[in-house]
mmCIF file of all heavy atoms in Angstrom:
data_model
loop_
_atom_site.group_PDB
_atom_site.id
_atom_site.type_symbol
_atom_site.label_atom_id
_atom_site.label_comp_id
_atom_site.label_asym_id
_atom_site.label_seq_id
_atom_site.Cartn_x
_atom_site.Cartn_y
_atom_site.Cartn_z
ATOM 1 N N VAL G 1312 113.550 90.298 104.274
ATOM 2 C CA VAL G 1312 114.098 89.550 105.408
ATOM 3 C C VAL G 1312 113.140 88.413 105.760
ATOM 4 O O VAL G 1312 111.926 88.622 105.823
ATOM 5 C CB VAL G 1312 114.295 90.503 106.616
ATOM 6 C CG1 VAL G 1312 114.690 89.736 107.856
ATOM 7 C CG2 VAL G 1312 115.324 91.571 106.274
ATOM 8 N N PRO G 1313 113.662 87.192 105.985
ATOM 9 C CA PRO G 1313 112.778 86.089 106.369
ATOM 10 C C PRO G 1313 111.952 86.437 107.614
ATOM 11 O O PRO G 1313 112.434 87.123 108.514
ATOM 12 C CB PRO G 1313 113.754 84.940 106.674
ATOM 13 C CG PRO G 1313 114.998 85.291 105.926
ATOM 14 C CD PRO G 1313 115.065 86.784 105.888
ATOM 15 N N ARG G 1314 110.712 85.970 107.633
ATOM 16 C CA ARG G 1314 109.773 86.310 108.699
ATOM 17 C C ARG G 1314 110.366 86.081 110.095
ATOM 18 O O ARG G 1314 110.187 86.903 110.988
ATOM 19 C CB ARG G 1314 108.477 85.525 108.538
ATOM 20 C CG ARG G 1314 107.405 85.947 109.525
ATOM 21 C CD ARG G 1314 106.052 85.311 109.235
ATOM 22 N NE ARG G 1314 105.450 85.708 107.981
ATOM 23 C CZ ARG G 1314 104.797 86.851 107.772
ATOM 24 N NH1 ARG G 1314 104.650 87.702 108.737
ATOM 25 N NH2 ARG G 1314 104.276 87.119 106.600
ATOM 26 N N ALA G 1315 111.077 84.986 110.285
ATOM 27 C CA ALA G 1315 111.637 84.672 111.601
ATOM 28 C C ALA G 1315 112.676 85.698 112.043
ATOM 29 O O ALA G 1315 112.905 85.877 113.245
ATOM 30 C CB ALA G 1315 112.257 83.277 111.577
ATOM 31 N N ASP G 1316 113.300 86.388 111.087
ATOM 32 C CA ASP G 1316 114.342 87.374 111.408
ATOM 33 C C ASP G 1316 113.832 88.812 111.435
ATOM 34 O O ASP G 1316 114.611 89.735 111.658
ATOM 35 C CB ASP G 1316 115.482 87.263 110.384
ATOM 36 C CG ASP G 1316 116.152 85.904 110.408
ATOM 37 O OD1 ASP G 1316 116.110 85.230 111.460
ATOM 38 O OD2 ASP G 1316 116.709 85.501 109.361
ATOM 39 N N ARG G 1317 112.567 89.007 111.191
ATOM 40 C CA ARG G 1317 112.003 90.362 111.150
ATOM 41 C C ARG G 1317 111.706 90.873 112.553
ATOM 42 O O ARG G 1317 111.354 90.092 113.433
ATOM 43 C CB ARG G 1317 110.678 90.384 110.381
ATOM 44 C CG ARG G 1317 110.799 90.077 108.933
ATOM 45 C CD ARG G 1317 109.432 90.108 108.279
ATOM 46 N NE ARG G 1317 109.500 89.479 106.980
ATOM 47 C CZ ARG G 1317 108.460 89.135 106.262
ATOM 48 N NH1 ARG G 1317 107.245 89.356 106.698
ATOM 49 N NH2 ARG G 1317 108.607 88.566 105.087
ATOM 50 N N PRO G 1318 111.781 92.197 112.728
ATOM 51 C CA PRO G 1318 111.295 92.748 113.992
ATOM 52 C C PRO G 1318 109.791 92.491 114.099
ATOM 53 O O PRO G 1318 109.098 92.397 113.083
ATOM 54 C CB PRO G 1318 111.558 94.251 113.873
ATOM 55 C CG PRO G 1318 112.385 94.444 112.648
ATOM 56 C CD PRO G 1318 112.309 93.197 111.837
ATOM 57 N N GLU G 1319 109.294 92.368 115.311
ATOM 58 C CA GLU G 1319 107.868 92.086 115.493
ATOM 59 C C GLU G 1319 107.030 93.253 114.993
ATOM 60 O O GLU G 1319 107.294 94.410 115.308
ATOM 61 C CB GLU G 1319 107.568 91.853 116.969
ATOM 62 C CG GLU G 1319 106.128 91.484 117.229
ATOM 63 C CD GLU G 1319 105.843 91.235 118.698
ATOM 64 O OE1 GLU G 1319 106.756 90.786 119.408
ATOM 65 O OE2 GLU G 1319 104.719 91.502 119.121
ATOM 66 N N ASP G 1320 106.031 92.927 114.166
ATOM 67 C CA ASP G 1320 105.105 93.945 113.676
ATOM 68 C C ASP G 1320 104.125 94.307 114.781
ATOM 69 O O ASP G 1320 103.606 93.429 115.470
ATOM 70 C CB ASP G 1320 104.293 93.426 112.475
ATOM 71 C CG ASP G 1320 105.069 93.481 111.179
ATOM 72 O OD1 ASP G 1320 106.031 94.257 111.098
ATOM 73 O OD2 ASP G 1320 104.697 92.754 110.241
ATOM 74 N N ALA G 1321 103.869 95.578 114.935
ATOM 75 C CA ALA G 1321 102.833 96.019 115.861
ATOM 76 C C ALA G 1321 101.524 96.119 115.087
ATOM 77 O O ALA G 1321 101.509 96.331 113.877
ATOM 78 C CB ALA G 1321 103.205 97.370 116.458
ATOM 79 N N LYS G 1322 100.432 95.940 115.771
ATOM 80 C CA LYS G 1322 99.114 96.128 115.169
ATOM 81 C C LYS G 1322 98.795 97.617 115.232
ATOM 82 O O LYS G 1322 99.383 98.368 116.008
ATOM 83 C CB LYS G 1322 98.062 95.300 115.908
ATOM 84 C CG LYS G 1322 98.359 93.804 115.908
ATOM 85 C CD LYS G 1322 98.409 93.244 114.506
ATOM 86 C CE LYS G 1322 98.656 91.750 114.509
ATOM 87 N NZ LYS G 1322 98.701 91.194 113.172
ATOM 88 N N ASN G 1323 97.820 98.046 114.435
ATOM 89 C CA ASN G 1323 97.567 99.471 114.298
ATOM 90 C C ASN G 1323 96.059 99.732 114.261
ATOM 91 O O ASN G 1323 95.352 99.116 113.453
ATOM 92 C CB ASN G 1323 98.251 99.952 113.011
ATOM 93 C CG ASN G 1323 98.157 101.424 112.815
ATOM 94 O OD1 ASN G 1323 97.071 101.972 112.668
ATOM 95 N ND2 ASN G 1323 99.305 102.076 112.794
ATOM 96 N N ILE G 1324 95.604 100.652 115.097
ATOM 97 C CA ILE G 1324 94.169 100.964 115.183
ATOM 98 C C ILE G 1324 93.653 101.558 113.876
ATOM 99 O O ILE G 1324 92.556 101.222 113.422
ATOM 100 C CB ILE G 1324 93.881 101.914 116.370
ATOM 101 C CG1 ILE G 1324 94.175 101.205 117.697
ATOM 102 C CG2 ILE G 1324 92.459 102.451 116.328
ATOM 103 C CD1 ILE G 1324 93.322 99.982 117.981
ATOM 104 N N ALA G 1325 94.429 102.423 113.230
ATOM 105 C CA ALA G 1325 93.978 103.021 111.964
ATOM 106 C C ALA G 1325 93.803 101.944 110.890
ATOM 107 O O ALA G 1325 92.839 101.976 110.125
ATOM 108 C CB ALA G 1325 94.964 104.097 111.511
ATOM 109 N N SER G 1326 94.712 100.972 110.838
ATOM 110 C CA SER G 1326 94.573 99.872 109.875
ATOM 111 C C SER G 1326 93.357 99.015 110.198
ATOM 112 O O SER G 1326 92.646 98.569 109.301
ATOM 113 C CB SER G 1326 95.821 98.997 109.877
ATOM 114 O OG SER G 1326 96.919 99.711 109.392
ATOM 115 N N LEU G 1327 93.132 98.788 111.477
ATOM 116 C CA LEU G 1327 91.960 98.020 111.899
ATOM 117 C C LEU G 1327 90.677 98.726 111.462
ATOM 118 O O LEU G 1327 89.747 98.079 110.979
ATOM 119 C CB LEU G 1327 91.964 97.815 113.418
ATOM 120 C CG LEU G 1327 90.716 97.172 114.020
ATOM 121 C CD1 LEU G 1327 90.400 95.828 113.383
ATOM 122 C CD2 LEU G 1327 90.871 97.043 115.532
ATOM 123 N N MET G 1328 90.636 100.046 111.590
ATOM 124 C CA MET G 1328 89.455 100.786 111.152
ATOM 125 C C MET G 1328 89.211 100.564 109.663
ATOM 126 O O MET G 1328 88.083 100.317 109.231
ATOM 127 C CB MET G 1328 89.601 102.283 111.434
ATOM 128 C CG MET G 1328 88.369 103.083 111.028
ATOM 129 S SD MET G 1328 88.527 104.855 111.265
ATOM 130 C CE MET G 1328 89.443 105.305 109.812
ATOM 131 N N GLY G 1329 90.270 100.615 108.853
ATOM 132 C CA GLY G 1329 90.122 100.373 107.417
ATOM 133 C C GLY G 1329 89.612 98.982 107.117
ATOM 134 O O GLY G 1329 88.711 98.787 106.293
ATOM 135 N N THR G 1330 90.154 97.995 107.813
ATOM 136 C CA THR G 1330 89.703 96.608 107.634
ATOM 137 C C THR G 1330 88.232 96.466 108.004
ATOM 138 O O THR G 1330 87.454 95.822 107.289
ATOM 139 C CB THR G 1330 90.559 95.667 108.510
ATOM 140 O OG1 THR G 1330 91.916 95.755 108.073
ATOM 141 C CG2 THR G 1330 90.078 94.229 108.412
ATOM 142 N N ALA G 1331 87.838 97.070 109.118
ATOM 143 C CA ALA G 1331 86.444 96.988 109.576
ATOM 144 C C ALA G 1331 85.505 97.686 108.592
ATOM 145 O O ALA G 1331 84.393 97.191 108.327
ATOM 146 C CB ALA G 1331 86.306 97.581 110.973
ATOM 147 N N LEU G 1332 85.933 98.807 108.029
ATOM 148 C CA LEU G 1332 85.109 99.501 107.033
ATOM 149 C C LEU G 1332 84.922 98.638 105.783
ATOM 150 O O LEU G 1332 83.806 98.523 105.265
ATOM 151 C CB LEU G 1332 85.732 100.841 106.650
ATOM 152 C CG LEU G 1332 85.547 101.969 107.652
ATOM 153 C CD1 LEU G 1332 86.449 103.150 107.316
ATOM 154 C CD2 LEU G 1332 84.092 102.407 107.709
ATOM 155 N N HIS G 1333 86.005 98.044 105.314
ATOM 156 C CA HIS G 1333 85.914 97.178 104.132
ATOM 157 C C HIS G 1333 84.942 96.031 104.372
ATOM 158 O O HIS G 1333 84.104 95.722 103.520
ATOM 159 C CB HIS G 1333 87.293 96.612 103.772
ATOM 160 C CG HIS G 1333 88.124 97.534 102.967
ATOM 161 N ND1 HIS G 1333 88.436 97.298 101.655
ATOM 162 C CD2 HIS G 1333 88.725 98.714 103.276
ATOM 163 C CE1 HIS G 1333 89.179 98.284 101.184
ATOM 164 N NE2 HIS G 1333 89.375 99.149 102.156
ATOM 165 N N ARG G 1334 85.052 95.398 105.528
ATOM 166 C CA ARG G 1334 84.179 94.262 105.839
ATOM 167 C C ARG G 1334 82.724 94.710 105.942
ATOM 168 O O ARG G 1334 81.809 94.021 105.464
ATOM 169 C CB ARG G 1334 84.640 93.607 107.142
ATOM 170 C CG ARG G 1334 83.932 92.326 107.455
ATOM 171 C CD ARG G 1334 84.334 91.244 106.480
ATOM 172 N NE ARG G 1334 83.723 89.989 106.896
ATOM 173 C CZ ARG G 1334 83.330 89.054 106.078
ATOM 174 N NH1 ARG G 1334 83.520 89.167 104.784
ATOM 175 N NH2 ARG G 1334 82.772 87.964 106.533
ATOM 176 N N ALA G 1335 82.487 95.868 106.554
ATOM 177 C CA ALA G 1335 81.126 96.385 106.705
ATOM 178 C C ALA G 1335 80.498 96.680 105.345
ATOM 179 O O ALA G 1335 79.333 96.343 105.105
ATOM 180 C CB ALA G 1335 81.145 97.645 107.569
ATOM 181 N N ILE G 1336 81.269 97.286 104.445
ATOM 182 C CA ILE G 1336 80.756 97.597 103.109
ATOM 183 C C ILE G 1336 80.485 96.298 102.348
ATOM 184 O O ILE G 1336 79.432 96.142 101.714
ATOM 185 C CB ILE G 1336 81.733 98.512 102.344
ATOM 186 C CG1 ILE G 1336 81.773 99.890 103.011
ATOM 187 C CG2 ILE G 1336 81.348 98.623 100.869
ATOM 188 C CD1 ILE G 1336 82.903 100.787 102.544
ATOM 189 N N GLU G 1337 81.415 95.367 102.432
ATOM 190 C CA GLU G 1337 81.238 94.088 101.733
ATOM 191 C C GLU G 1337 79.976 93.371 102.214
ATOM 192 O O GLU G 1337 79.153 92.922 101.404
ATOM 193 C CB GLU G 1337 82.454 93.194 101.964
ATOM 194 C CG GLU G 1337 82.322 91.836 101.308
ATOM 195 C CD GLU G 1337 83.465 90.898 101.652
ATOM 196 O OE1 GLU G 1337 84.297 91.199 102.527
ATOM 197 O OE2 GLU G 1337 83.494 89.822 101.012
ATOM 198 N N LEU G 1338 79.780 93.257 103.527
ATOM 199 C CA LEU G 1338 78.629 92.511 104.048
ATOM 200 C C LEU G 1338 77.307 93.245 103.852
ATOM 201 O O LEU G 1338 76.257 92.614 103.769
ATOM 202 C CB LEU G 1338 78.842 92.134 105.509
ATOM 203 C CG LEU G 1338 79.915 91.073 105.743
ATOM 204 C CD1 LEU G 1338 80.015 90.715 107.219
ATOM 205 C CD2 LEU G 1338 79.665 89.826 104.908
ATOM 206 N N LYS G 1339 77.345 94.567 103.754
ATOM 207 C CA LYS G 1339 76.113 95.308 103.438
ATOM 208 C C LYS G 1339 75.646 94.929 102.034
ATOM 209 O O LYS G 1339 74.470 94.636 101.814
ATOM 210 C CB LYS G 1339 76.355 96.815 103.547
ATOM 211 C CG LYS G 1339 75.236 97.679 102.982
ATOM 212 C CD LYS G 1339 73.918 97.487 103.714
ATOM 213 C CE LYS G 1339 72.865 98.422 103.118
ATOM 214 N NZ LYS G 1339 71.526 98.065 103.515
ATOM 215 N N TYR G 1340 76.584 94.931 101.087
ATOM 216 C CA TYR G 1340 76.203 94.603 99.713
ATOM 217 C C TYR G 1340 75.931 93.112 99.519
ATOM 218 O O TYR G 1340 75.011 92.748 98.810
ATOM 219 C CB TYR G 1340 77.279 95.064 98.726
ATOM 220 C CG TYR G 1340 77.226 96.537 98.425
ATOM 221 C CD1 TYR G 1340 78.305 97.360 98.703
ATOM 222 C CD2 TYR G 1340 76.102 97.117 97.853
ATOM 223 C CE1 TYR G 1340 78.273 98.716 98.414
ATOM 224 C CE2 TYR G 1340 76.049 98.470 97.565
ATOM 225 C CZ TYR G 1340 77.145 99.262 97.848
ATOM 226 O OH TYR G 1340 77.094 100.598 97.564
ATOM 227 N N ARG G 1341 76.709 92.249 100.130
ATOM 228 C CA ARG G 1341 76.539 90.804 99.934
ATOM 229 C C ARG G 1341 75.339 90.235 100.684
ATOM 230 O O ARG G 1341 74.622 89.392 100.174
ATOM 231 C CB ARG G 1341 77.781 90.043 100.393
ATOM 232 C CG ARG G 1341 78.949 90.112 99.463
ATOM 233 C CD ARG G 1341 79.978 89.048 99.848
ATOM 234 N NE ARG G 1341 81.282 89.307 99.280
ATOM 235 C CZ ARG G 1341 81.645 89.002 98.044
ATOM 236 N NH1 ARG G 1341 80.780 88.446 97.230
ATOM 237 N NH2 ARG G 1341 82.862 89.267 97.614
ATOM 238 N N GLU G 1342 75.160 90.651 101.950
ATOM 239 C CA GLU G 1342 74.176 90.001 102.813
ATOM 240 C C GLU G 1342 73.186 90.975 103.453
ATOM 241 O O GLU G 1342 72.417 90.581 104.314
ATOM 242 C CB GLU G 1342 74.908 89.223 103.917
ATOM 243 C CG GLU G 1342 75.849 88.172 103.375
ATOM 244 C CD GLU G 1342 76.674 87.505 104.469
ATOM 245 O OE1 GLU G 1342 76.314 87.611 105.661
ATOM 246 O OE2 GLU G 1342 77.687 86.870 104.120
ATOM 247 N N ASP G 1343 73.236 92.246 103.049
ATOM 248 C CA ASP G 1343 72.386 93.301 103.602
ATOM 249 C C ASP G 1343 72.484 93.384 105.127
ATOM 250 O O ASP G 1343 71.507 93.631 105.821
ATOM 251 C CB ASP G 1343 70.925 93.127 103.164
ATOM 252 C CG ASP G 1343 70.137 94.416 103.317
ATOM 253 O OD1 ASP G 1343 70.745 95.506 103.229
ATOM 254 O OD2 ASP G 1343 68.914 94.342 103.555
ATOM 255 N N LYS G 1344 73.702 93.178 105.640
ATOM 256 C CA LYS G 1344 73.937 93.296 107.089
ATOM 257 C C LYS G 1344 74.149 94.762 107.446
ATOM 258 O O LYS G 1344 74.613 95.559 106.645
ATOM 259 C CB LYS G 1344 75.155 92.480 107.500
ATOM 260 C CG LYS G 1344 74.933 90.997 107.348
ATOM 261 C CD LYS G 1344 75.770 90.236 108.324
ATOM 262 C CE LYS G 1344 75.366 88.777 108.227
ATOM 263 N NZ LYS G 1344 76.016 87.923 109.119
ATOM 264 N N SER G 1345 73.826 95.087 108.670
ATOM 265 C CA SER G 1345 74.003 96.448 109.174
ATOM 266 C C SER G 1345 75.479 96.845 109.083
ATOM 267 O O SER G 1345 76.331 96.215 109.721
ATOM 268 C CB SER G 1345 73.557 96.531 110.631
ATOM 269 O OG SER G 1345 74.065 97.704 111.237
ATOM 270 N N PRO G 1346 75.795 97.881 108.311
ATOM 271 C CA PRO G 1346 77.200 98.259 108.186
ATOM 272 C C PRO G 1346 77.808 98.738 109.506
ATOM 273 O O PRO G 1346 78.930 98.366 109.832
ATOM 274 C CB PRO G 1346 77.209 99.371 107.145
ATOM 275 C CG PRO G 1346 75.819 99.585 106.708
ATOM 276 C CD PRO G 1346 74.928 98.647 107.431
ATOM 277 N N THR G 1347 77.060 99.528 110.266
ATOM 278 C CA THR G 1347 77.630 100.014 111.523
ATOM 279 C C THR G 1347 77.764 98.882 112.537
ATOM 280 O O THR G 1347 78.724 98.831 113.304
ATOM 281 C CB THR G 1347 76.804 101.183 112.110
ATOM 282 O OG1 THR G 1347 75.451 100.769 112.244
ATOM 283 C CG2 THR G 1347 76.891 102.416 111.225
ATOM 284 N N GLY G 1348 76.811 97.945 112.537
ATOM 285 C CA GLY G 1348 76.912 96.787 113.425
ATOM 286 C C GLY G 1348 78.101 95.910 113.076
ATOM 287 O O GLY G 1348 78.847 95.466 113.954
ATOM 288 N N THR G 1349 78.290 95.654 111.782
ATOM 289 C CA THR G 1349 79.436 94.857 111.330
ATOM 290 C C THR G 1349 80.735 95.563 111.687
ATOM 291 O O THR G 1349 81.679 94.938 112.185
ATOM 292 C CB THR G 1349 79.365 94.614 109.807
ATOM 293 O OG1 THR G 1349 78.161 93.914 109.504
ATOM 294 C CG2 THR G 1349 80.558 93.824 109.312
ATOM 295 N N PHE G 1350 80.786 96.858 111.426
ATOM 296 C CA PHE G 1350 81.982 97.645 111.727
ATOM 297 C C PHE G 1350 82.343 97.512 113.205
ATOM 298 O O PHE G 1350 83.490 97.216 113.560
ATOM 299 C CB PHE G 1350 81.748 99.113 111.348
ATOM 300 C CG PHE G 1350 82.856 100.035 111.760
ATOM 301 C CD1 PHE G 1350 84.006 100.129 110.984
ATOM 302 C CD2 PHE G 1350 82.771 100.790 112.912
ATOM 303 C CE1 PHE G 1350 85.040 100.976 111.358
ATOM 304 C CE2 PHE G 1350 83.790 101.635 113.298
ATOM 305 C CZ PHE G 1350 84.939 101.731 112.512
ATOM 306 N N GLN G 1351 81.367 97.727 114.078
ATOM 307 C CA GLN G 1351 81.608 97.659 115.522
ATOM 308 C C GLN G 1351 82.083 96.263 115.929
ATOM 309 O O GLN G 1351 83.020 96.122 116.716
ATOM 310 C CB GLN G 1351 80.333 98.022 116.288
ATOM 311 C CG GLN G 1351 80.503 98.076 117.799
ATOM 312 C CD GLN G 1351 81.322 99.255 118.249
ATOM 313 O OE1 GLN G 1351 81.132 100.373 117.767
ATOM 314 N NE2 GLN G 1351 82.255 99.030 119.159
ATOM 315 N N THR G 1352 81.452 95.233 115.387
ATOM 316 C CA THR G 1352 81.822 93.851 115.714
ATOM 317 C C THR G 1352 83.252 93.551 115.296
ATOM 318 O O THR G 1352 84.028 92.971 116.067
ATOM 319 C CB THR G 1352 80.849 92.863 115.048
ATOM 320 O OG1 THR G 1352 79.530 93.105 115.544
ATOM 321 C CG2 THR G 1352 81.247 91.423 115.319
ATOM 322 N N VAL G 1353 83.630 93.937 114.077
ATOM 323 C CA VAL G 1353 84.998 93.685 113.600
ATOM 324 C C VAL G 1353 86.004 94.437 114.467
ATOM 325 O O VAL G 1353 87.038 93.876 114.864
ATOM 326 C CB VAL G 1353 85.155 94.056 112.109
ATOM 327 C CG1 VAL G 1353 86.618 94.005 111.673
ATOM 328 C CG2 VAL G 1353 84.309 93.133 111.241
ATOM 329 N N MET G 1354 85.722 95.679 114.786
ATOM 330 C CA MET G 1354 86.624 96.465 115.646
ATOM 331 C C MET G 1354 86.810 95.773 116.994
ATOM 332 O O MET G 1354 87.944 95.535 117.426
ATOM 333 C CB MET G 1354 86.087 97.889 115.848
ATOM 334 C CG MET G 1354 86.102 98.778 114.629
ATOM 335 S SD MET G 1354 87.742 99.323 114.094
ATOM 336 C CE MET G 1354 88.219 100.431 115.403
#
């Protein structure tokens, strides 16, 4: 269905947690940033 005709998507806390975990792992390996700090910031 075209985006304009779709029901509005709700955001999801569980999905946000997954996104924040991915970003934290990526930045730990790429830039040696604190994973828990990055996770908290993204959340």
